[in-house]
Amino acid sequence: MNVPANGLYFVSYEILTNEYKRRFNRPNVDLIPAIIAGGLAGIFYWIGGMPADVLKSRLQSAPEGKFNNIRAVFKDLLKNDGMTALYRGFTPVILRAFPANAATFFGIELANAVFRQLAPDF
């Protein structure tokens, strides 16, 4: 279930940082653009991953025996709550996703910058 969301996460980060490097003729991404790209990557992750997460949570929290599989959860959700229920709670998830993922990629790019200084030819 996480494969599409992780694909959106890493691909969007790479696209955003590569576009920054291309536009500004930079060999590496700077820290502020990494923070912005990381935060946006987190948002893209949840856009793609939230429906699967909602279904998983409903399956896990249901009384034992209510659902046989994830398909049954999906049918029940559509029947009782509609398609928009797949994104219920989206705003708080996004508000948390941006800073959390911005910090993650900030740390990655900071570590990359340190490693480039310590071992420039590696």
Side-chain angles (χ1 to χ4, degrees), residues 13 22 24 27-28 34 37-38 41 84-85 87-88 91 100 104 117 119 121:
Y13 182 77
R22 185 191 66 75
F24 295 99
N28 302 305
T84 58
Y87 284 95
R88 189 170 291 146
T91 301
T104 297
Q117 291 293 320
D121 296 328

Side-chain angles (χ1 to χ4, degrees), residues 14-121:
E14 286 298 314
I15 289 171
L16 291 167
T17 55
N18 286 338
E19 182 62 19
Y20 168 80
K21 291 186 285 190
R22 185 191 66 75
R23 279 192 183 192
F24 295 99
N25 196 27
R26 306 282 298 177
N28 302 305
V29 66
D30 295 321
L31 294 180
I32 298 299
I35 290 170
I36 295 167
L40 291 173
I43 290 172
F44 288 126
Y45 174 91
W46 282 106
I47 288 171
M50 192 156 178
D53 192 64
V54 166
L55 293 173
K56 173 199 59 108
S57 295
R58 284 184 177 225
L59 179 62
Q60 290 175 333
S61 65
E64 191 167 332
K66 180 173 182 178
F67 300 116
N68 294 330
N69 54 39
I70 203 79
R71 177 180 276 163
V73 177
F74 184 63
K75 285 181 180 179
D76 182 72
L77 178 134
L78 287 179
K79 179 182 169 192
N80 296 317
D81 299 314
M83 188 68 88
T84 58
L86 291 171
Y87 284 95
R88 189 170 291 146
F90 185 71
T91 301
V93 166
I94 294 307
L95 290 174
R96 178 193 58 82
F98 190 95
N101 292 284
T104 297
F105 281 105
F106 170 77
I108 290 169
E109 293 299 341
L110 184 61
N112 285 340
V114 169
F115 290 136
R116 281 192 296 274
Q117 291 293 320
L118 295 174
D121 296 328

